[in-house]
Amino acid sequence: MAVNFPPLFSRLGLDRHPRVFAQPGEGRVLSDNPATGEVIAYVSLDTPETYEREVAGAAEAFTKWRSVPAPVRGQVVRAIGEAFRTHKRDLGELVSLEVGKIRAEGAGEIQEIVDIAEFAVGLSRQLPGQVFPSERAKHRLMEQWLPLGPVGVISAFNFPAAVWAWNAMLAGICGDTVIWKPSLLAPLTALACNAIAEKAAADLGHPGVFRLVMGEDPIIGERLVADKRVPLISATGSCRMGRRVGQAVAARLGRCLLELGGNNAVIVHEDADQELALRAVVFGAVGTAGQRCTTTRRIFVHEKIAERFVERLTAAYRSTLGRMGDPLKDGTLVGPLVSRMAVEQFQDAVKAARAQGGQVLVGGEAAGGKGYFVQPTLIRAPRDNRLPIASHETFAPILYVFTYADIDQAIAMQNSVDQGLSSAIFTDSIRVSERFLNPDGSGSDCGLANVNCGTSGAEIGGAFGGEKDTGGGRESGSDSWKAYMRRQTSAINFGGGFELAQGITFE
Ligand code: NAD
């Protein structure tokens, strides 16, 4: 059945996009609105032939793009960032429509693109190499960083725009071309974002740098992962996906940057500013309807403050129940999950928690009706803290509450899961916070470890990523750019004498 496009399609050019249709058809995937279950549009997928065209095109464009001076590449990325700034409202709304984020979070996601573009522009004048003292007279020893090639970017549904940008803006200034394979749960956001980037680059005389391939994983995703012309696959998604992708890329000795699932925890110590902790926990656990990789999924509350803190948390959770609804409506705090399947996974997790002795303090139900809504859910672990379901990442707003007696125990419980993405402690004690961040590595085992800040809402300035089953990759700020370049070490003899390292003579 044909659908009517929403008005923002014309503002974003999606109504004229050659891959967007009002009717279903062969080789098309539908994009639906998780708040209503209604179809927004149909999008045509790639075939092996069109995939081939895109990857060959990315390889060809790379040979030109890598020769453009990095600061000039930075100017192209600047123009892209500006274009996203211009379209922030409409793109944010598209993210809300397609994956159900509330308006502020949809807009925030596009702001992240602007931010990473600005970061990349500055970096385009650095990309520093190093010079080392050589042990040989009249020799220079140095390292430089070179463009890598076409980079494959596989993104998850829950950050349908920003994750691509984290990769694409950095890869762009590094001299790489980008082949984006987005989630089929958010194809329209991908089409709109890629078209904006590609147009901004083409307007400055650099077409073909930013490319998109879309399709089912066995047809397009796995083809990209196995493609030797793509030296780096940066993949964001579940640990299950990371295991498959990691092995396939390793089999061809390619490079992988993996950003996978999290099971993030907050420790609330006895001396914590409880008001601050409460707000951070509720935002971290309920925000984005629990569909952030950094969502707070477990809290460990010191037993001395547990009763009162859990009471307050329960009250705060109850107040969010009345704030569920249309993500684009003012005042909504909790939007829908992304799909019917996600609702079923939520229901399975709540059922398992109950069977394991967990006590549902608030929520626990799917809302029913047309959209994919579930209640923000607070579950208290049994007294012995044994709740196996809490070791799994369920991509929904479920928060498991545990108590602890001493900080070592809390850190051990926090670290006891397979994933290692984000963690946080709330305390006013420097001893306790330093125990959490101990430089000997005995504190938090996560890639992100915050003090008096929640687990979600990272800034782009620092490197972002996690350890253990989260995959070990780092994206975004700091020196993450190195993942998108290849390193070359050079010894340069400017004296003319034949001198070998390690004192070796070979006369
Ligand atoms: P998912 O694993 O189902 O899919 C992620 C992407 O991988 C999609 O584009 C999918 O098509 C692709 N994919 C899956 N199997 C593939 C294969 N064999 N070959 C090639 N591509 C393949 O994840 P999702 O449901 O879209 O997203 C939620 C998950 O992502 C959660 O686990 C969340 O924690 C994680 N995530 C992690 C980060 C991070 O930075 N660590 C950020 C966002 C999301």
Side-chain angles (χ1 to χ4, degrees), residues 25 35 59 76 108 157-158 170 225 227 260 277 293 311 319 323-324 355 392 394 411 445 449 488 496:
V76 174
F157 82 84
N158 67 319
L170 291 191
V225 165
D227 200 322
L260 309 175
C293 50
E311 248 173 48
S319 74
R323 306 286 291 276
M324 294 166 60
H392 299 274
T394 302
I411 292 173
D445 65 0
Q488 187 170 64

Side-chain angles (χ1 to χ4, degrees), residues 154-159 163 166 181-185 215-218 220-222 225 235-242 244-245 258-262 292-294 297 393 395 421 464-466 470 475:
I154 296 175
S155 59
F157 82 84
N158 67 319
F159 276 96
V163 162
W166 285 5
K181 197 222 74 66
S183 164
L184 288 187
L185 291 171
E216 302 291 346
D217 296 329
I220 296 299
E222 291 181 11
V225 165
T236 302
S238 59
C239 300
R240 183 176 29 88
M241 176 280 286
R244 287 193 68 150
V245 168
L258 296 176
E259 291 284 3
L260 309 175
R292 284 189 186 217
C293 50
T294 52
R297 307 204 179 277
E393 180 197 44
F395 225 52
L421 182 54
F464 179 92
T470 302
E475 283 174 355

Side-chain angles (χ1 to χ4, degrees), residues 282 286 315-324 333-334 362 375-377:
V282 176
V286 175
Y317 257 70
R318 287 215 177 94
S319 74
T320 65
L321 295 179
R323 306 286 291 276
M324 294 166 60
L333 287 183
V334 189
V362 184
Q375 294 175 323
T377 298

Side-chain angles (χ1 to χ4, degrees), residues 37 66 121 233 256-257 268 335 338 340 360 374-375 388 470:
R66 68 178 171 192
V121 174
I233 297 289
C256 230
L257 196 171
V268 186
V338 73
R340 179 82 54 212
V360 176
V374 301
Q375 294 175 323
T470 302

Side-chain angles (χ1 to χ4, degrees), residues 31-87:
S31 170
D32 69 349
N33 177 346
T36 60
E38 287 162 3
V39 177
I40 310 170
Y42 299 89
V43 173
S44 66
L45 298 180
D46 277 291
T47 61
E49 292 72 38
T50 59
Y51 167 88
E52 184 52 36
R53 196 182 61 210
E54 286 307 311
V55 177
E60 167 66 21
F62 172 66
T63 61
K64 301 191 182 81
W65 181 238
R66 68 178 171 192
S67 301
V68 175
V72 179
R73 298 195 293 254
Q75 292 311 304
V76 174
V77 168
R78 179 196 295 278
I80 294 172
E82 282 308 314
F84 276 94
R85 200 191 294 278
T86 306
H87 292 293

